Amino acid sequence: MTTPFFTASPDIIKPYALMDLDDTLFQTQRKIDAWDLPTTEPESLACATVNKQNEPLSFMSQRQVTFFNWLLASTELIVVTARDRSEIKRVKLPFDSWQVLTHGAIILTPDGDLLSSWQQYMYNKLAPLQNKLNQLSQLFANHSKNVQSHLVFTPHIDSFDNGTVDDELTIYLAIKHAQKDHQALIDLAEKLPNLIRDFDQDFYVHVNANNLAILPHAVHKRHAVEFLLEHHLDHQRPSFGFGDSLADLPFLQLLDWYGMPNHGQLHNQY
């Protein structure tokens, strides 16, 4: 049998584009200045996110706007982000496909509903860890009361269906430094395994700039993307994606092609 040569076809099948958001498609003004990004003159910027007071927070350069418009027109864009269900509402961009949220603990369908099978799976993984997560939460809450502390501690909580009722479960713990002392967060990450028994057995730590996250091993973008690819996405359609952090690399490696912006943690590492 002779293999035919490639023939161009007018019938376009849209690939899946699985995209991290913060620092990949948009960023704060502080990072725009630090990275010296092109096409970021004030008149070229587009507001992408707002803060809790509904004030502009993150922006897209003109190149990012062009890139995002191309993604919307030519791909099925799937969000893969650390943002939770509350935080994603402050992203003022149009999404109409699957959304992987909260580091992979939450999957929303294209209709915006919770994917029940994933919810049940995550409930079974998170419920046994609630005592340890509560211990860590109490430890950091007490530490934050110390007037000498510059740590800003936030537990990320959501409701999960256990098959009978919805339970609120802590998913992961986030810590920022009020003075943006990134080295202080790196130092803290090194001390975390000594805080509670079997820490490494149950949790891993991700640090990126001014964000430190303590996550159960079951909570990872890769796990959620793998579930989507296997159970809900068309195996015949190609996939590609972009992300800026080391935590994005494992999910990106599941795709047919992947890349990174020319700034951020992944770019600096490699």
Side-chain angles (χ1 to χ4, degrees), residues 148-169:
Q148 302 298 323
S149 173
H150 296 291
L151 299 180
V152 181
F153 164 72
T154 306
H156 286 259
I157 299 169
D158 212 321
S159 58
F160 288 83
D161 185 358
N162 67 0
T164 306
V165 296
D166 281 351
D167 275 354
E168 281 205 340
L169 300 180

Side-chain angles (χ1 to χ4, degrees), residues 222-223 225-226 229 239 249-256:
R222 179 184 173 94
H223 302 328
V225 168
E226 191 170 32
L229 289 170
S239 63
L249 188 57
F251 96 76
L252 293 173
Q253 290 174 328
L254 296 171
L255 310 179
D256 296 309

